[in-house]
């Protein structure tokens, strides 16, 4: 690149300049003066300037009274070095004079100015924090630590990937370390109970807890999650007594009902944490959570954490917390709930082109970024399996994770994905919340997410710890209604790529090779998912028609038959267009 040239990433529009999905565009220095009109004419929506040295700037198209303009929406930490000066910083104001929306804390990163060693934390915890490589606190850690240490109940909202796990674990461990403990006590009371909605997240929280407990020799942590043998967990809890328990709700309830002495150990709970609180308090988990809460002491401290806290959750938070709880929201007024350094786009295309589009987007991404690490979210476990099988046939480096996989397979894939690059993880919502896979470059959501919150959490698997990322939401035309629920987020339309016929044939062949059983299961699961969707499931004959579209996208000319009892359970018996067996 010659001195003074600009390297831009262009998003959306601009079919004559680039493919529809983000690409790089070099603008020679001599053409920079006409850049705004050039980009505006090309229907470009988002431009990101890629600068040597790792810093970048992003501008978004705006319609103003004076016509079109591009204004800065995010500036990462300025690191002026020789290369950048040479690159011509003075050009930036031409694209947008404002320098709004910093990525996070005071210096534009996700960290605050406060160091852990400036806080009232025990030397043992401080040492462990240092070992973990943490020096400064993240914003949510800085905001919540003193209040939790005062003994208050806290409901905290902070963006994805900003260190909420340490924010609740560290002060909770501090509370515990001040209690009298007997080393090697056979069945110590459980003092800290952390509830998580998924097994992967529970394991991850336990790993973080073990790091922080490194020098607290008298404290131990255990995990109880579904998918493993109850007796095995019972033995493990006996062999390794613990004061900290991380659990998924269903399995904890199992232990309450079936493990001798367990309920009395729970009477020792001093601190209860609901991680991903809004999910744990929604209807799917609510009963189990209420039962669990009823079996631990009222006199306790409760901490609720999530990246999303809808109004309903605030209203029902009394289920778990004292009336005088503190709500700490680190998402600033007027700021979005998603990260500005993550570029979000959506595409709307007929269902029968989704596999081709996916393949095209993935191929481009893999070619553009040698260190690619992608998560594709699908609507259900069986649809996840189908998509993984199709993409594997296309020789992409695919891994698959969902609730129908054995726990050992889930753990293996999750560990592998955490450590590697050059991998595509096709996942159901088991990976949507909390899981911290470093350096995910792209998150694709195929089909409408369960709700706005789920969209935000899935997207949050990229752009963690202030890193950059991309998100793509791929919808069918009749799923477009969902966009109104995320219209306050910076998500812009991306032009659907025109896939050439040889690629289409390649994709069709791949789809053909997938076993009929996988297609039948995916069809049934797809129908169940959209049937329970309030918007799409309302009109049953339209739903049957859409399901037929889905079966055609799998290369089937006749939709698979569904067992009568299942159709009845779904309330879909005798719906024209659905076949029963
Ligand atoms: N003070 C810190 N300094 C540096 N890194 C940190 C700090 N605190 C946490 N981290 C790291 O930041 C990453 C994200 O943390 P974490 O998974 O707790 O995010 P989260 O806010 O809970 O995200 P989500 O909303 O997706 O659950 C982890 O890799 C964690 O180790």
């Amino acid at each position: 690149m010659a001195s003074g040239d600009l390297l831009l990433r262009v998003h959306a529009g601009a079919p004559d300049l680039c493919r529809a999905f983000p690409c790089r565009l070099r603008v020679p220095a001599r053409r920079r003066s006409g850049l705004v009109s050039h980009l505006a004419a090309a229907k470009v929506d988002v431009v990101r300037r890629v600068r040597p040295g790792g810093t970048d700037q992003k501008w978004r198209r705006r319609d103003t009274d004076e016509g079109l303009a591009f204004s800065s929406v995010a500036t990462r930490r300025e690191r002026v070095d020789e290369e950048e000066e040479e690159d011509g910083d003075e050009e930036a104001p031409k694209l947008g004079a404002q320098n709004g929306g910093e990525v996070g804390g005071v210096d534009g990163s996700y960290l605050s100015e406060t160091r852990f060693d400036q806080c009232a934390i025990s030397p043992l915890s401080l040492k462990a924090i240092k070992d973990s490589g943490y020096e400064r606190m993240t914003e949510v850690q800085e905001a919540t630590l003193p209040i939790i240490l005062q003994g208050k109940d806290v409901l905290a909202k902070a963006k994805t990937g900003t260190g909420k796990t340490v924010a609740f674990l560290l002060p909770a461990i501090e509370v515990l370390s001040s209690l009298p403990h007997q080393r090697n006590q056979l069945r110590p009371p459980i003092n800290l109970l952390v509830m998580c909605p998924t097994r992967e997240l529970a394991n991850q929280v336990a790993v973080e807890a073990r790091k922080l407990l490194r020098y607290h020799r008298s404290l131990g942590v255990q995990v109880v999650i579904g998918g493993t043998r109850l007796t095995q967990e019972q033995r493990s809890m006996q062999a390794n007594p613990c004061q900290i328990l991380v659990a998924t709700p269903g399995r904890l309830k199992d232990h309450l009902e079936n493990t001798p002495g367990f309920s009395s150990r729970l009477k020792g709970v001093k601190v209860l944490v609901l991680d991903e609180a809004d999910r744990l308090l929604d209807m799917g988990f609510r009963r189990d959570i209420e039962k669990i809460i009823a079996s631990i002491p009222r006199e306790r401290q409760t901490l609720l954490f999530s990246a999303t806290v809808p109004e309903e959750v605030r209203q029902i938070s009394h289920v778990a917390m004292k009336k005088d709880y503190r709500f700490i929201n680190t998402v600033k007024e007027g700021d979005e709930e998603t990260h500005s350094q993550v570029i979000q786009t959506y595409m709307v295309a007929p269902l029968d082109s989704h596999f081709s589009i996916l393949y095209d987007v993935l191929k481009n991404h893999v070619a553009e970024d040698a260190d690619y690490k992608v998560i594709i979210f699908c609507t259900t476990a069986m649809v996840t399996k189908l998509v993984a099988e199709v993409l594997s046939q296309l020789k992409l480096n695919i891994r698959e994770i969902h609730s129908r996989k054995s726990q050992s397979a889930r753990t293996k894939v999750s560990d592998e994905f955490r450590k590697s690059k050059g991998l595509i993880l096709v996942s159901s919502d088991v990976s949507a919340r909390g899981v911290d896979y470093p350096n995910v470059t792209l998150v694709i959501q195929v089909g409408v997410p369960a709700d706005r919150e789920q969209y935000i959490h899935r997207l949050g698997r990229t752009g963690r710890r202030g890193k950059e990322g991309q998100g793509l939401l791929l919808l069918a035309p009749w799923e477009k209604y969902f966009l109104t629920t995320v219209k306050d987020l910076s998500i812009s339309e991306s032009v659907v790529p025109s896939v050439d016929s040889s690629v289409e044939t390649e994709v069709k062949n791949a789809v053909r090779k997938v076993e009929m059983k996988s297609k039948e299961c995916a069809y049934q699961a797809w129908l169940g998912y959209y049937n329970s969707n309030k918007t799409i499931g309302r009109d049953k004959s339209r739903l049957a028609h859409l399901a037929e579209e889905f079966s055609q996208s799998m290369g089937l000319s006749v939709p698979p038959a569904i067992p009568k009892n299942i159709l009845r359970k779904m309330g879909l018996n005798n719906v024209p267009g659905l076949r029963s067996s």
Side-chain angles (χ1 to χ4, degrees):
M1 221 168 92
S3 170
D5 286 2
L6 270 179
L7 185 59
L8 302 175
R9 278 190 192 195
V10 182
H11 297 261
D16 54 330
L17 291 178
C18 62
R19 302 185 68 87
F21 203 65
C23 79
R24 287 181 176 218
L25 171 72
R26 191 170 70 81
V27 182
R30 64 192 150 77
R31 292 184 61 193
R32 285 167 77 171
S33 58
L35 188 58
V36 172
S37 57
H38 187 64
L39 294 172
K43 294 197 167 52
V44 168
D45 288 331
V46 179
V47 179
R48 172 174 286 198
R49 179 182 179 193
V50 184
R51 292 196 277 189
T55 60
D56 67 60
Q57 275 187 305
K58 191 168 106 180
W59 299 280
R60 185 171 298 284
R61 184 190 180 96
R62 273 189 319 128
D63 291 297
T64 67
D65 289 345
E66 288 105 45
L68 281 172
F70 281 83
S71 14
S72 164
V73 288
T75 307
R76 289 192 76 196
R77 182 146 46 128
E78 293 293 333
R79 242 197 53 202
V80 181
D81 55 26
E82 278 175 26
E83 264 180 314
E84 281 179 50
E85 277 172 355
E86 203 183 307
D87 193 30
D89 253 353
E90 79 285 359
E91 279 296 316
K94 285 196 179 165
L95 284 158
Q98 292 143 267
N99 194 11
E102 279 190 342
V103 170
V106 283
D107 63 351
S109 82
Y110 70 111
L111 294 169
S112 74
E113 287 265 279
T114 314
R115 292 193 318 272
F116 284 101
D117 60 13
Q118 294 171 311
C119 305
I121 297 169
S122 65
L124 299 183
S125 292
L126 260 186
K127 223 169 147 198
I129 284 278
K130 212 168 165 208
D131 286 358
S132 300
Y134 308 151
E135 191 191 337
R136 283 188 291 154
M137 303 174 102
T138 66
E139 289 196 313
V140 65
Q141 292 161 2
E142 183 195 42
T144 52
L145 185 94
I147 296 162
I148 299 176
L149 290 179
Q150 279 166 25
K152 289 268 179 218
D153 282 3
V154 165
L155 167 61
K157 173 176 168 178
K159 290 188 191 184
T160 51
T162 58
K164 291 189 285 294
T165 316
V166 170
F168 61 72
L169 280 179
L170 178 63
I173 288 171
E174 290 300 284
V175 172
L176 259 61
S177 64
S178 64
L179 302 171
H181 290 292
Q182 282 174 17
R183 227 174 143 177
N184 301 330
Q185 193 180 352
L186 197 59
R187 282 187 188 167
I190 290 161
N191 300 136
L192 167 59
L193 176 61
V194 182
M195 302 301 308
C196 301
T198 65
R199 300 167 188 177
E200 282 72 21
L201 183 54
N203 277 330
Q204 185 182 294
V205 168
V207 168
E208 191 77 58
R210 282 190 190 110
K211 282 198 225 159
L212 296 178
L213 288 176
R214 188 162 177 198
Y215 301 101
H216 290 276
R217 295 273 154 75
S218 56
L219 295 175
V221 63
Q222 284 280 306
V223 191
V224 294
I225 53 176
T228 49
R229 289 223 305 277
L230 197 75
T231 46
Q232 203 177 312
E233 282 183 352
Q234 289 168 337
R235 272 201 301 272
S236 163
M237 270 195 280
Q238 252 181 5
N240 310 288
C242 63
Q243 299 83 356
I244 301 174
L245 193 69
V246 186
T248 52
R251 180 50 68 97
L252 191 85
K253 214 178 82 188
D254 258 13
H255 280 291
L256 262 174
E257 287 160 6
N258 300 304
T259 304
F262 186 75
S263 63
S264 64
R265 287 190 63 199
L266 275 188
K267 296 278 178 257
V269 169
K270 302 275 186 229
V271 183
L272 168 70
V273 176
L274 301 188
D275 191 11
E276 308 297 339
D278 54 330
R279 177 76 186 106
L280 289 175
L281 291 172
D282 84 13
M283 290 323 281
F285 284 112
R286 185 90 145 266
R287 268 209 194 145
D288 285 353
I289 291 292
E290 279 173 0
K291 186 154 187 220
I292 291 160
I293 287 177
S295 54
I296 59 174
R298 267 169 180 272
E299 218 23 72
R300 60 163 197 272
Q301 188 175 11
T302 306
L303 311 174
L304 269 53
F305 276 72
S306 184
T308 50
V309 181
E311 190 45 42
E312 311 90 80
V313 171
R314 284 201 68 180
Q315 276 166 19
I316 57 157
S317 52
H318 62 84
V319 169
M321 293 194 297
K322 296 186 201 94
K323 274 203 189 98
D324 66 345
Y325 77 88
R326 293 280 300 275
F327 178 46
I328 296 170
N329 182 1
T330 62
V331 184
K332 293 177 194 77
E333 182 99 25
D335 191 6
E336 290 175 20
E337 284 169 291
T338 49
H339 291 288
S340 58
Q341 81 274 15
V342 175
I343 294 184
Q344 303 171 60
T345 53
Y346 70 88
M347 285 183 197
V348 179
L351 263 185
D352 67 359
S353 59
H354 279 199
F355 283 125
S356 302
I357 293 171
L358 251 187
Y359 184 41
D360 186 80
V361 166
L362 289 169
K363 268 204 315 189
N364 285 332
H365 187 75
V366 167
E368 200 186 57
D369 192 343
D371 292 337
Y372 73 92
K373 193 162 169 178
V374 181
I375 306 184
I376 303 174
F377 283 106
C378 303
T379 46
T380 74
M382 287 294 103
V383 174
T384 301
K385 180 170 185 284
L386 175 93
V387 172
E389 285 174 4
V390 172
L391 296 176
S392 298
Q393 290 289 350
L394 289 162
K395 307 280 176 276
L396 290 163
N397 200 10
I398 299 291
R399 298 292 182 278
E400 170 190 343
I401 191 166
H402 50 76
S403 58
R404 300 292 187 91
K405 284 266 175 200
S406 69
Q407 190 49 44
S408 58
R410 276 168 69 165
T411 306
K412 192 166 160 244
V413 165
S414 175
D415 290 347
E416 184 189 4
F417 192 68
R418 196 181 303 277
K419 287 181 205 137
S420 19
K421 292 173 183 167
L423 215 51
I424 298 167
L425 181 68
V426 188
S427 178
S428 67
D429 276 339
V430 296
S431 318
R433 282 175 176 256
V435 277
D436 184 49
Y437 295 127
N439 306 319
V440 171
T441 52
L442 170 65
V443 166
I444 304 180
Q445 307 192 36
V446 186
V448 77
D451 49 34
R452 169 195 163 83
E453 284 71 36
Q454 207 67 346
Y455 170 83
I456 291 171
H457 286 276
R458 285 160 148 198
L459 181 79
R461 295 319 98 206
T462 186
R464 300 177 77 74
R465 304 175 75 169
K467 295 234 167 80
E468 286 183 9
Q470 295 174 24
L472 169 67
L473 174 64
L474 179 56
L475 298 176
W478 38 270
E479 290 174 310
K480 240 179 129 172
Y481 75 91
F482 178 76
L483 296 171
T484 58
T485 66
V486 288
K487 64 175 187 291
D488 59 315
L489 306 178
S490 295
I491 175 166
S492 51
E493 184 163 15
S494 192
V495 174
V496 175
S498 53
V499 180
D500 61 51
S501 58
S502 66
V503 172
E504 252 175 41
T505 314
E506 203 184 341
V507 171
K508 273 199 180 123
N509 285 339
V511 173
R512 197 171 306 128
K513 283 187 197 147
V514 170
E515 273 182 33
M516 189 60 189
K517 185 81 194 138
S518 298
K519 294 177 182 173
E520 285 170 355
C521 292
Y523 174 79
Q524 188 173 308
W526 190 99
L527 194 62
Y529 178 78
Y530 285 99
N531 184 42
S532 52
N533 175 296
K534 278 193 197 115
T535 309
I536 298 160
R538 211 179 297 142
D539 180 344
K540 303 300 179 200
S541 55
R542 180 164 170 264
L543 175 71
H545 179 73
L546 298 176
E548 189 175 351
E549 253 183 50
F550 178 67
S551 82
Q552 282 163 0
S553 78
M554 295 188 288
L556 304 178
S557 49
V558 180
I562 294 183
K564 254 195 193 117
N565 61 331
I566 293 186
L567 277 181
R568 202 174 315 117
K569 267 192 206 150
M570 291 189 201
L572 294 175
N573 42 345
N574 303 324
V575 173
L578 297 179
R579 297 193 312 120
S580 63
S581 59

